[in-house]
């Protein structure tokens, strides 16, 4: 493992695209993390990179991006919503809605909060990004 860490310091940029310094900062932001092993840092970066590639490829293949020959935000948010594997990303990749619709939803939530009526009317978010 020590040899791998020594070897990585010079060539890690070719093996991984994400900036290791940024990943180290994110890892250190966790209160349980005191020090970060170079191999753990590299493996976290590589795993993150592979995950992002998988998310992008899956979203492209299963979305409308294939028709447009482009990966769109809508493809990503649809994947987060529909695919069980990626549902944990639904909060990070929410479906886009018009600002006017969002303001109406907020107003409705405010009214419902006062009256305590719970209905699922706010779920009609099919306005895509066109």
């Amino acid at each position: 493992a020590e040899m791998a860490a020594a070897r990585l310091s010079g060539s890690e940029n070719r093996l991984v695209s994400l900036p290791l310094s940024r990943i180290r900062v994110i890892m250190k932001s966790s209160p349980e993390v005191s020090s970060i092993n170079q191999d753990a840092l590299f493996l976290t970066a590589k795993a993150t990179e592979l995950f992002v590639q998988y998310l992008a490829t899956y979203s492209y293949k299963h979305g409308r991006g294939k028709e447009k020959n482009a990966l769109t935000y809508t493809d990503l948010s649809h994947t987060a919503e529909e695919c069980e594997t990626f549902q944990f990303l639904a909060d990070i990749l929410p479906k886009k809605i018009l600002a006017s619709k969002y303001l109406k939803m907020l107003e409705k939530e405010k009214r419902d909060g006062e009256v305590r009526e719970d209905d699922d009317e706010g779920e009609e978010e099919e306005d895509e990004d066109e």
Side-chain angles (χ1 to χ4, degrees):
E2 289 173 40
M3 293 285 268
R7 206 172 52 241
L8 284 178
S9 50
S11 62
E12 64 198 6
N13 293 338
R14 276 174 259 132
L15 297 171
V16 91
S17 305
L18 298 171
L20 295 181
S21 57
R22 184 67 57 91
I23 290 171
R24 178 182 276 113
V25 168
I26 294 168
M27 289 171 78
K28 283 201 169 207
S29 72
S30 173
E32 304 92 56
V33 175
S34 54
S35 66
I36 297 162
N37 174 302
Q38 190 67 18
D39 289 340
L41 176 64
F42 172 77
L43 291 173
T44 300
K46 194 64 186 173
T48 303
E49 193 174 291
L50 292 171
F51 173 77
V52 171
Q53 284 177 357
Y54 178 58
L55 170 64
T57 304
Y58 185 97
S59 299
Y60 180 81
K61 284 180 181 169
H62 294 83
R64 290 187 302 171
K66 235 182 347 187
E67 303 158 18
K68 302 175 185 174
N69 206 22
L71 176 63
T72 65
Y73 179 87
T74 303
D75 295 333
L76 293 167
S77 66
H78 183 75
T79 295
E81 187 182 38
E82 299 297 324
C83 177
E84 199 175 323
T85 305
F86 297 109
Q87 276 178 354
F88 74 98
L89 295 172
D91 292 345
I92 298 164
L93 293 167
K95 288 183 95 173
K96 280 186 178 179
I97 61 169
L98 297 173
S100 56
K101 192 177 244 186
Y102 179 69
L103 292 172
K104 282 180 193 165
M105 284 170 56
L106 284 179
E107 196 56 45
K108 184 182 179 333
E109 276 180 29
K110 198 172 162 186
R111 282 196 316 270
D112 288 356
E114 293 162 8
V115 184
R116 268 334 285 139
E117 295 171 9
D118 285 328
D119 61 14
D120 294 327
E121 197 192 307
E123 307 236 35
E124 21 136 328
E125 318 154 336
E126 269 309 311
D127 284 313
E128 297 296 336
D129 33 8
E130 270 88 35

